[in-house]
């Protein structure tokens, strides 16, 4: 069974946050496996009734990002054009990553973490994006890689005009 | 207020005041959102008795529900006792709604059915008079549910006017198989609701620049000059690249086959021009309902006003139920990459719209008259170019006729 010391996983997530804050997107992409999935959802409350007429109060996910490594790469390429207005000039960001929990499942580390992203631009108010994440992290040739990320945004109605940063 | 001096349609001049003024905003709530047909829901969200969605009509929250009796009704989403918002979920299924304040309970047909301690606290209450306030006019138009607060309003078909054949083309294409896929995206953009509305109504022009990054990364073919814009006299409109925006982008054989079969069917009835204008591209029904109907995917929009400079976007991907789940998932993936709060197109739309609001603070900035003169005076009857079954006015490619007609209608209603 593969070992995933928490210190190593935490360092990995901090390094990821730093790469994004420094806008080193190419290096960031390398942190994902080639078959990676990258999903961002928001959560709604919903009442449902089963066919037996039993009411349940549940949650429902609304998918906002449903990316592969190829589409993430395309997003990064777009940011490098001269016409990515949502990031022109580039936002200043700080990602605060916390509450890291690691659960090894055979050769995968299931990693839970929370992230608060502060995004500052020109004269606009600072956007705060809060998400809780569940990553599947694997080891490929000694190096850690994200095989799947699922980030859940906290607000059911996003009070921000766009999500122009990676979560 | 001299509204005529703010909106001079014949000269293509519009004052920025209309995007920020509080009095105008309040007038709109009453004269536009209180009198026009407003999109509420899609039938596929309300299949079973008790299925409901919540939305807004202008600033008024409404609950749209299929009652136990099988009929769809729409109600002001507030308790008659103190006005507490009754249902705070986007969608679900329930046969009763209990207010959290004092526990009054209403059923799925809007009737007040339960009042705690009724015999002691409200011995003389006639519950039949205190049901939810019902939206008096409701229509299910080919699966799309619309409401209107004005009992005197013309029928929905009359309201569509010359837009009817085009809206029919859009809906008929699905042959009753249209369904909402994956729930509703909701987010807030700091901009007046008319800005995104006019954009979806007629602004092919912005795609060339706002969305240039999409061409650079080969998400789109370079935009061709072959653009058309069609406006109807009552403030609705649509337009696209001839042949459909995004034609040539990858789509599965399965999806293309269903698309082409339905387009051919409609073309046989309406004329060959249909093959050139479907999918319909950007489409807008006055005041705040939009569609973006492209080759790769189609979505519905409502731009809910939340104050002069705040709009809540509601966005629903629609798919064809005849297409396999696997293919629809791929369509959804593409939609999410391009539109929605994280979409590579929509991110930039929100950014440029926000920058419009940023310059409305100063007394000089809000007085400025804007140029809406694109293609002014170049309009033709659509039938003279596209064939006898085409209705409405054909504007110049990348022109702003649709926007001018939108504000013409807006002005008429505000003054009415
Ligand atoms: S406000 Fe609803 S029961 Fe009192
Ligand atoms: Fe756009």
């Amino acid at each position: 069974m593969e070992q995933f010391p928490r210190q190593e996983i935490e360092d990995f997530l901090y390094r990821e946050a730093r790469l994004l804050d420094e806008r080193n997107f190419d290096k960031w992409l390398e942190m994902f496996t080639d078959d990676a999935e990258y999903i961002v959802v928001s959560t709604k409350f919903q009442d449902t009734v089963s066919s037996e007429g039993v009411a349940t109060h549940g949650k429902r996910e609304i998918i906002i990002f449903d990316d592969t490594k190829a589409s993430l790469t395309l997003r990064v390429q777009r940011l490098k054009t001269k016409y990515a207005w949502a990031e022109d000039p580039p936002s200043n960001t700080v990602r605060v990553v916390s509450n890291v929990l690691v659960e090894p499942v055979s050769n995968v580390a299931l990693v839970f973490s929370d992230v608060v992203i502060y995004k500052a631009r020109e004269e606009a108010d600072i956007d705060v994006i809060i998400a809780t994440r569940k990553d599947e992290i694997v080891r490929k040739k000694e190096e850690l890689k994200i095989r799947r990320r699922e980030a859940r945004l906290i607000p059911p109605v996003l009070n921000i005009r766009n999500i122009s940063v990676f979560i | 207020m001299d509204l005529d001096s703010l909106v001079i349609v014949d000269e293509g001049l519009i004052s920025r005041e209309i995007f920020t003024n509080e009095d105008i905003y309040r007038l709109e709530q009453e004269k536009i959102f209180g009198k026009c047909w407003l999109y509420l829901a899609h039938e596929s969200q309300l299949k079973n008795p008790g299925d409901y969605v919540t939305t807004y009509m202008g600033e008024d929250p409404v609950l749209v529900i299929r009652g136990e009796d099988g009929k769809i009704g729409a109600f002001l989403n507030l308790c008659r006792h103190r006005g507490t918002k009754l249902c705070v979920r986007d969608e679900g299924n329930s046969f009763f709604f209990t207010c959290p304040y004092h526990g009054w309970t209403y059923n799925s047909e809007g009737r007040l059915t339960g009042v705690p301690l009724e015999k002691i606290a409200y011995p003389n209450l006639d519950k039949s008079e205190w049901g939810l306030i019902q939206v008096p006019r409701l229509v299910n138009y080919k699966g799309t549910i619309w409401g209107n607060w004005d009992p005197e309003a013309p029928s929905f078909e009359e309201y569509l006017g010359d837009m009817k054949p085009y809206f029919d083309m859009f809906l008929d294409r699905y042959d009753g198989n249209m369904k909402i896929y994956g729930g509703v995206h909701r987010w807030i953009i700091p901009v007046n609701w008319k800005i995104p509305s006019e954009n979806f109504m007629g602004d092919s022009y912005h795609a060339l620049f706002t969305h240039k990054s999409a061409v650079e990364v080969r998400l789109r073919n370079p935009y061709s000059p072959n653009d058309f814009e069609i406006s109807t006299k009552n403030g609705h409109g649509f337009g696209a690249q001839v042949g459909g925006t995004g034609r040539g982008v990858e789509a599965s054989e399965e999806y293309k086959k269903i698309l082409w079969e339905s387009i051919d069917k409609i073309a046989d009835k309406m004329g060959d021009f249909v093959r050139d204008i479907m999918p319909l591209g950007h489409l807008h029904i006055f005041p705040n309902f939009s569609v973006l109907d492209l080759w790769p995917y189609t979505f519905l929009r409502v731009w809910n006003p939340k104050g002069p400079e705040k709009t809540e976007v509601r966005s629903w991907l629609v798919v064809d139920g005849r297409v396999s789940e696997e293919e629809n998932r791929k369509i959804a993936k593409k939609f999410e990459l391009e539109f929605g709060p994280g979409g590579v197109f929509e991110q930039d739309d929100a950014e440029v719209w926000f920058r419009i609001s940023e310059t409305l603070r100063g007394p000089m900035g809000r007085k400025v008259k804007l140029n809406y003169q694109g293609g002014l005076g170049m309009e033709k009857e659509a039938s003279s170019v596209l064939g006898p079954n085409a209705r409405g006015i054909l504007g110049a490619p990348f022109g702003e006729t649709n926007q001018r007609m939108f504000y013409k209608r807006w002005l008429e209603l505000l003054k009415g």
Side-chain angles (χ1 to χ4, degrees):
Chain A
M1 185 156 138
E2 197 73 63
Q3 294 298 307
F4 296 103
R6 194 172 74 166
Q7 189 65 55
E8 189 190 2
I9 296 280
E10 276 185 351
D11 285 350
F12 177 78
L13 292 178
Y14 297 158
R15 203 159 52 242
E16 187 211 355
R18 186 153 285 272
L19 286 176
L20 284 172
D21 289 338
E22 288 169 354
R23 303 181 74 79
N24 195 341
F25 299 121
D26 292 327
K27 273 266 170 320
W28 175 70
L29 283 171
E30 288 173 13
M31 299 184 93
F32 288 82
T33 63
D34 289 339
D35 61 350
E37 290 178 281
Y38 174 94
I39 293 155
V40 179
V41 301
S42 66
T43 312
K44 304 284 161 82
F45 290 96
Q46 188 176 21
D47 297 329
T48 44
V49 175
S50 71
S51 47
E52 293 84 44
V54 181
T56 50
H57 306 291
K59 285 184 174 182
R60 159 166 199 183
E61 287 169 1
I62 307 293
I63 298 177
I64 297 177
F65 285 67
D66 187 359
D67 279 287
T68 58
K69 188 150 182 183
S71 63
L72 281 180
T73 307
L74 187 134
R75 287 181 187 271
V76 166
Q77 281 168 357
R78 188 190 93 84
L79 287 170
K80 292 180 183 169
T81 70
K82 292 201 297 280
Y83 309 99
W85 306 116
E87 283 296 311
D88 175 37
S91 304
N92 290 339
T93 59
V94 166
R95 287 168 174 74
V96 180
V97 179
S98 185
N99 301 353
V100 178
L101 274 179
V102 184
E103 280 178 19
V105 183
S106 76
N107 287 331
V108 183
L110 218 51
V111 179
F112 299 88
S113 65
D114 296 335
V115 62
V116 180
I117 306 172
Y118 299 91
K119 171 185 148 189
R121 283 174 59 64
E122 300 163 83
E123 292 162 62
D125 292 340
I126 291 181
D127 282 344
V128 181
I129 300 171
I130 308 168
T132 178
R133 305 183 298 191
K134 184 165 100 188
D135 296 337
E136 289 175 21
I137 295 180
V138 293
R139 205 182 286 283
K140 294 256 160 156
K141 296 193 195 114
E142 303 295 293
E143 276 185 64
L144 295 178
K145 302 266 181 199
I146 302 169
R147 189 174 75 182
R148 187 172 197 280
R149 162 158 298 165
E150 191 183 314
R152 192 178 303 275
L153 299 171
I154 296 311
V157 182
L158 298 174
N159 199 1
I160 45 176
R161 62 191 177 282
N162 55 22
I163 304 175
S164 59
V165 297
F166 296 106
I167 293 170
Chain B
M1 195 168 352
D2 181 11
L3 291 167
D4 284 307
S5 71
L6 300 178
V7 173
I8 309 169
V9 172
D10 295 343
E11 295 172 36
L13 294 173
I14 288 175
S15 167
R16 307 194 72 209
E17 193 69 29
I18 70 165
F19 302 116
T20 184
N21 185 296
E22 292 272 353
D23 296 332
I24 290 179
Y25 180 80
R26 270 194 294 273
L27 209 58
E28 284 175 341
Q29 288 302 311
E30 196 187 311
K31 303 245 178 180
I32 290 179
F33 293 97
K35 299 226 185 277
C36 290
W37 283 97
L38 304 173
Y39 176 82
L40 299 181
H42 190 266
E43 197 181 23
S44 66
Q45 297 168 290
L46 305 167
K47 281 196 283 282
N48 303 310
D51 281 355
Y52 69 82
V53 298
T54 57
T55 185
Y56 282 84
M57 293 172 73
E59 290 250 39
D60 282 318
V62 290
L63 169 69
V64 190
I65 181 162
R66 191 180 287 278
E68 224 171 335
D69 59 3
K71 287 204 209 67
I72 295 174
F75 306 92
L76 213 46
N77 184 11
L78 59 86
C79 174
R80 295 292 304 277
H81 183 226
R82 286 294 181 278
T84 309
K85 196 172 187 184
L86 201 56
C87 177
V88 291
R89 286 160 167 80
D90 278 350
E91 54 188 312
N93 181 293
S94 187
F95 287 120
F96 57 86
F97 297 87
T98 300
C99 176
Y101 202 176
H102 311 89
W104 285 22
T105 295
Y106 303 84
N107 73 6
S108 58
E109 282 116 58
R111 280 194 287 277
L112 178 62
T113 53
V115 172
L117 300 180
E118 182 179 351
K119 296 238 159 59
I120 302 165
Y122 273 95
N124 301 316
L125 181 73
D126 179 358
K127 291 212 289 297
S128 71
E129 286 193 5
W130 294 94
L132 298 179
I133 304 284
Q134 185 152 18
V135 179
R137 305 282 300 278
L138 195 84
V139 64
N140 180 345
Y141 190 74
K142 302 188 175 190
T144 59
I145 319 279
W146 302 74
N148 195 321
W149 286 114
D150 181 8
E152 312 293 317
S155 73
F156 181 67
E157 297 197 16
E158 235 177 289
Y159 181 82
L160 282 177
D162 280 347
M163 193 65 185
K164 183 176 176 309
Y166 301 117
F167 197 45
D168 283 346
M169 279 178 202
F170 169 61
L171 295 172
D172 291 348
R173 194 178 93 204
Y174 292 87
D175 214 358
N177 293 290
M178 182 190 276
K179 60 172 192 188
I180 304 285
Y181 190 89
V184 55
H185 283 158
R186 292 172 64 187
W187 74 104
I188 308 272
I189 303 183
V191 73
N192 185 273
W193 67 274
K194 296 189 288 302
I195 295 285
S197 294
E198 66 154 82
N199 174 282
F200 272 69
M201 153 134 309
D203 201 330
S204 283
Y205 190 42
H206 88 293
L208 307 181
F209 206 69
T210 306
H211 303 309
K212 196 166 177 177
S213 69
V215 175
E216 297 228 333
V217 299
R218 294 167 195 271
L219 264 178
R220 285 285 183 281
N221 298 326
Y223 301 104
S224 89
N226 220 349
D227 173 78
F228 70 92
E229 303 294 330
I230 291 178
S231 165
T232 62
K233 297 198 176 77
N234 43 10
H236 320 306
F238 72 100
Q241 305 255 285
V242 174
T245 304
R247 184 181 279 194
V249 301
E250 56 177 302
S252 77
E253 290 307 315
E254 179 198 350
Y255 178 58
K256 276 194 288 198
K257 191 165 165 272
I258 290 173
L259 214 59
W260 269 119
E261 274 174 12
S262 23
I263 291 175
D264 283 340
K265 223 158 86 186
I266 296 166
D268 289 346
K269 214 166 65 191
M270 299 287 294
D272 273 342
F273 75 102
V274 166
R275 289 191 186 85
D276 277 338
I277 66 170
M278 285 185 81
L280 292 177
H282 52 263
L283 178 152
H284 190 82
I285 291 177
F286 193 91
N288 66 335
F289 171 77
S290 301
V291 176
L292 194 62
D293 185 26
L294 307 179
W295 277 104
Y297 51 78
T298 300
F299 60 82
L300 313 181
R301 273 292 155 86
V302 169
W303 312 99
N304 277 328
K306 295 278 172 200
E309 289 166 32
K310 206 162 153 190
T311 298
E312 185 210 46
V313 190
R314 287 181 179 235
S315 172
W316 301 264
L317 177 68
V318 291
V319 297
D320 194 313
R322 293 168 295 186
V323 174
S324 67
E325 168 61 25
E326 191 196 347
E327 179 60 21
N328 279 336
R329 174 85 202 275
K330 279 192 215 146
I331 289 170
K333 251 180 148 62
K334 197 152 184 64
F335 161 68
E336 277 133 15
L337 174 63
E338 300 188 356
F339 281 88
V344 295
F345 282 78
E346 194 116 36
Q347 285 181 31
D348 293 335
D349 284 320
E351 191 66 23
V352 295
W353 295 338
F354 166 66
R355 291 194 201 176
I356 290 174
S357 298
E358 267 197 302
T359 61
L360 280 168
R361 296 284 73 76
M364 299 316 284
R366 65 190 276 170
K367 263 206 294 261
V368 168
K369 283 215 164 52
L370 299 168
N371 184 321
Y372 280 75
Q373 297 171 338
L376 187 68
M378 294 165 71
E379 294 84 1
K380 297 176 187 139
E381 286 297 323
S383 57
S384 70
V385 180
L386 298 174
N389 287 330
R391 306 251 204 101
I393 307 162
L394 185 69
F398 299 106
E400 294 174 333
T401 303
N402 292 16
Q403 290 93 318
R404 286 192 292 277
M405 297 305 279
F406 173 82
Y407 288 109
K408 187 166 180 235
R409 178 84 179 122
W410 179 87
L411 185 63
E412 279 166 14
L413 283 164
L414 240 52
K415 286 164 65 186

